[in-house]
């Protein structure tokens, strides 16, 4: 595996059918030619990802999506016009230009137009779109900087394009546009309230879990550190914690000795906390002095809903 800032190198490896980790504004993606079955198979193998979990396909702009879908409904045009390029993924009806392996045999394809300049630069040099899941081993914490990718993969990834830290640090919001009214399949940086400004209604959140095959990606256990992560009531953090404890807090928190504290956002701002969330979990998972991690729920509003959704899947105290 090579790490660097060479756009041409990334492009060359992708043309060869290799896997390349690319920066996006949300998290790092593990990219391959979405139109080539062999290349896409390498993604599933490297991530140890089950084949029933479909991938998002990334395009440089709305026009380049057209050859790969049955049609783009008006509602999708409107959402793209407002939020793309950016952290929004839409589900559309696919056509046969997208191999079945990409969508796990589903009739819909998830499409997204990423905003990171490096990802855009790569797409502009290619004549195919890129399938790219988050560049983490299946089930583990998502990567928000190149080091997170490097520590999880070896030579199965040809190149890691270093585009710095991800701006949002949380995956894109996924909206199912195959039906109207549209529904939110995964909460992310674009909140239901933001979508409502375009839609004229607050979209419902699909109730999904791994037991409901219509939304295969929302696996119940996901984003999890190797160490136990407990989501507790704030008052439990005032009581003595076991040796080797870390507390990951949203804002400033009063401290007791013997405990390691990681404050996600000293000003208690959700956008800042989201950007630091996965990075902090990676850090705490690496520190040898820490055996378990405690945290509390975020305020259940806006981005806090997306963060709580990650916590529900990552926590050990189910
Ligand atoms: O921000 C992001 O979206 C990042 C960056 C790299 O773009 N990508 C990402 O991909 O989060 P991934 O593979 O980690 O998550 C994709 C999610 C999965 O939960 C998957 O099941 C769902 O999208 N998905 C993809 N295609 C789908 C489809 N046709 N129907 C339902 N869910 C789908
Ligand atoms: Mg993922």
């Amino acid at each position: 595996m090579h790490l660097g800032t060479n756009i041409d190198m990334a492009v060359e490896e992708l043309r060869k059918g290799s896997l390349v980790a690319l920066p996006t504004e949300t998290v790092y993606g593990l990219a391959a030619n979405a139109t080539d079955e062999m290349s896409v198979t390498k993604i599933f193998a490297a991530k140890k990802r089950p084949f029933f979990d479909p991938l998002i396909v990334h395009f440089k702009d709305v026009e380049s999506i057209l050859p790969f879908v049955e049609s783009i409904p008006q509602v999708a045009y409107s959402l793209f016009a407002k939020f793309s390029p950016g952290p929004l993924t839409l589900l559309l009806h696919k056509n046969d230009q997208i191999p079945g392996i990409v969508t796990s045999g589903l009739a819909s394809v998830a499409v997204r137009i990423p905003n990171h300049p490096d990802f855009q630069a790569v797409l502009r040099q290619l004549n195919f779109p890129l399938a790219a899941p988050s560049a983490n081993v299946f089930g583990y914490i998502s990567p928000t900087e190149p080091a997170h990718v490097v520590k999880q993969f070896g030579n199965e990834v040809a190149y890691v394009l270093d585009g710095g830290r991800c701006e949002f640090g949380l995956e894109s919001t996924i909206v199912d546009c195959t039906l109207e009214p549209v529904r939110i399949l995964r909460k992310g940086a674009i909140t239901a309230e933001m979508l409502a400004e375009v839609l004229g209604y607050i979209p419902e959140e699909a109730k999904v879990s791994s037991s409901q095959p219509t939304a295969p990606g929302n696996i119940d256990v996901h984003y999890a550190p190797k160490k136990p992560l407990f989501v507790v009531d704030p008052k439990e953090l005032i009581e003595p914690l076991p040796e080797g404890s870390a507390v990951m807090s949203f804002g400033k928190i009063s401290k007791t000795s013997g405990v390691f504290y990681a404050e996600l956002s000293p000003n208690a701002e959700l956008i800042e906390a989201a950007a630091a969330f996965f990075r902090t979990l990676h850090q705490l998972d690496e520190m040898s002095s820490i055996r378990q991690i405690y945290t509390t729920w975020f305020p259940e509003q806006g981005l806090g809903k997306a963060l709580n959704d990650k916590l529900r899947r990552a926590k050990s105290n189910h």
Side-chain angles (χ1 to χ4, degrees):
M1 179 200 294
H2 296 281
L3 170 68
T5 55
N6 190 331
I7 304 271
D8 293 339
M9 185 100 88
V11 168
E12 194 185 311
E13 291 293 348
L14 288 164
R15 283 196 186 122
K16 280 198 291 193
S18 309
L19 299 185
V20 174
L22 297 175
T24 86
E25 70 279 27
T26 60
V27 300
Y28 271 73
L30 190 58
N33 181 348
T35 64
D36 181 56
E37 273 184 2
M38 275 302 294
S39 307
V40 173
T41 307
K42 291 180 191 168
I43 296 180
F44 286 92
K47 274 189 63 106
K48 303 187 177 69
R49 178 176 176 120
F51 284 102
F52 61 73
D53 193 9
L55 306 175
I56 296 175
V57 184
H58 299 68
F59 296 85
K60 62 175 185 293
D61 53 24
V62 179
E63 290 65 44
S64 54
I65 299 173
L66 277 167
F68 297 91
V69 296
E70 277 184 7
S71 66
I72 300 183
Q74 191 51 50
V75 66
Y77 274 115
S78 308
L79 289 171
F80 274 141
K82 173 85 176 182
F83 300 112
S84 284
L88 179 70
T89 296
L90 301 183
L91 232 60
L92 303 177
H93 289 290
K94 78 177 205 64
N95 67 20
D96 60 9
Q97 298 302 302
I98 299 281
I101 186 173
V102 172
T103 64
S104 306
L106 295 174
S108 58
V109 60
V111 300
R112 157 159 143 75
I113 304 168
N115 192 23
H116 195 291
D118 292 353
F119 204 126
Q120 277 286 339
V122 169
L123 282 172
R124 279 196 295 270
Q125 288 195 52
L126 295 172
N127 60 1
F128 50 80
L130 292 172
S134 50
N136 52 322
V137 172
F138 186 71
Y140 191 58
I141 312 165
S142 301
T144 58
E145 52 189 64
H148 299 161
V149 183
V150 171
K151 81 173 181 195
Q152 291 186 66
F153 295 100
N155 282 336
E156 66 270 41
V157 177
Y159 192 65
V160 180
L161 185 62
D162 183 348
R165 261 186 199 166
C166 301
E167 182 189 346
F168 291 100
L170 278 191
E171 283 87 347
S172 61
T173 302
I174 305 182
V175 177
D176 184 352
C177 291
T178 62
L179 300 166
E180 283 204 69
V182 303
R183 293 187 316 163
I184 298 179
L185 288 190
R186 180 175 71 185
K187 301 181 208 53
I190 312 262
T191 63
E193 292 75 18
M194 292 161 77
L195 293 166
E197 284 177 30
V198 174
L199 298 169
Y201 58 91
I202 299 207
E204 261 185 46
E205 286 158 16
K207 294 271 170 290
V208 289
S209 75
S210 54
S211 56
Q212 284 176 290
T214 45
N218 283 282
I219 310 291
D220 289 345
V221 180
H222 218 74
Y223 314 107
K226 297 191 181 89
K227 294 172 187 170
L229 168 70
F230 302 109
V231 184
V232 299
D233 202 77
K235 65 176 185 289
E236 290 180 51
L237 297 180
I238 307 165
E239 291 158 21
L241 296 172
E243 209 186 310
S245 290
V247 169
M248 179 174 83
S249 70
F250 171 34
K252 280 210 167 65
I253 187 169
S254 60
K255 302 179 178 62
T256 54
S257 65
V259 176
F260 183 86
Y261 290 90
E263 293 169 342
L264 293 175
S265 166
N267 301 318
E269 280 164 10
L270 284 166
I271 190 154
E272 194 180 26
F277 179 74
F278 286 133
R279 181 174 78 242
T280 303
L281 284 177
H282 275 285
Q283 246 163 31
L284 298 176
D285 220 19
E286 296 269 282
M287 290 172 64
S288 57
S289 59
I290 287 169
R291 291 200 208 136
Q292 63 276 328
I293 306 162
Y294 291 87
T295 191
T296 56
W297 296 110
F298 292 90
E300 184 68 14
Q301 64 191 51
L303 266 182
K305 288 188 184 172
L307 285 162
N308 285 337
D309 194 62
K310 308 289 169 209
L311 277 184
R312 259 189 291 280
R313 294 170 208 279
K315 73 191 173 82
S316 320
N317 53 335
H318 284 281

